Amino acid sequence: MERSRATLRIRPAIPADAVAIATVHARSWRETQGRFVDDPDTNPWFDAERRIGMWRSSLEEEELNVVVADADGSIVGFAATHLTPGADAVRPEELQMLYVAESSHGSGAGQGLLDAVLGNRPASLWVAADNPRAHAFYRRNEFRPDGAESSFGPIPRTVSLVR
């Protein structure tokens, strides 16, 4: 079911959102990164249960600045930033996560999340090198590659983007 913009609300995450965020986190990982593993059904990267504790802790301790996209009472996406202090930081802030369930792609949730959690501030982020949809989104939001590359979990190649 496609979600309309009229039903979408971006709001700060609260500790009671931990299970829903973990579920969207695991589902969106499976939708976008599942192709990098042989069997997403048995791979721990795609297990929502293992993410619940992390999200409870992060939200209770306010380790991250987290916002959620709520559509008719269901969380369909989330974004999180954190400060990157230190002289070697590429930017003063990092967009650590921005995930939207595939069923809500094109709803404005991704843009709403980015605007709410980061605005137009300078930041860095890491994204799978082989994710054209994400690259187009970040390019529209003035992020550009800075030349740094790495890998993360099952993703063989990630690239750093900055603005």
Side-chain angles (χ1 to χ4, degrees):
M1 174 175 107
E2 196 168 320
R3 308 238 182 232
S4 70
R5 288 179 186 246
T7 63
L8 191 66
R9 187 174 75 125
I10 307 297
R11 63 171 175 79
I14 59 173
D17 294 328
V19 172
I21 292 172
T23 301
V24 169
H25 195 175
R27 180 177 44 178
S28 61
W29 251 83
R30 182 185 185 103
E31 291 167 349
T32 60
Q33 321 304 348
R35 61 197 158 93
F36 293 121
V37 301
D38 291 332
D39 186 3
D41 290 334
T42 61
N43 190 295
W45 280 94
F46 307 100
D47 178 19
E49 289 298 316
R50 76 180 275 270
R51 297 179 186 276
I52 292 171
M54 179 213 62
W55 279 109
R56 278 194 179 124
S57 173
S58 291
L59 294 171
E60 288 170 1
E61 297 174 20
E62 299 178 355
E63 296 170 358
L64 303 169
N65 176 27
V66 184
V67 296
V68 297
D70 183 312
D72 296 328
S74 294
I75 292 176
V76 298
F78 67 94
T81 60
H82 68 92
L83 297 178
T84 51
D88 60 342
V90 176
R91 294 291 187 271
E93 198 168 6
E94 179 181 10
L95 177 64
Q96 190 172 13
M97 294 177 250
L98 192 158
Y99 293 105
V100 174
E102 195 171 64
S103 61
S104 292
H105 285 181
S107 69
Q111 190 64 56
L113 288 165
L114 182 64
D115 292 346
V117 79
L118 195 57
N120 291 319
R121 295 188 304 275
S124 63
L125 63 92
W126 289 90
V127 64
D130 184 17
N131 188 337
R133 182 182 185 90
H135 283 272
F137 172 79
Y138 290 123
R139 203 170 25 258
R140 280 193 312 274
N141 284 281
E142 301 180 3
F143 284 90
R144 301 291 180 257
D146 70 357
E149 293 187 10
S150 188
S151 63
F152 182 74
I155 307 169
R157 187 169 158 249
T158 62
V159 295
S160 174
L161 306 179
V162 297
R163 73 167 180 198

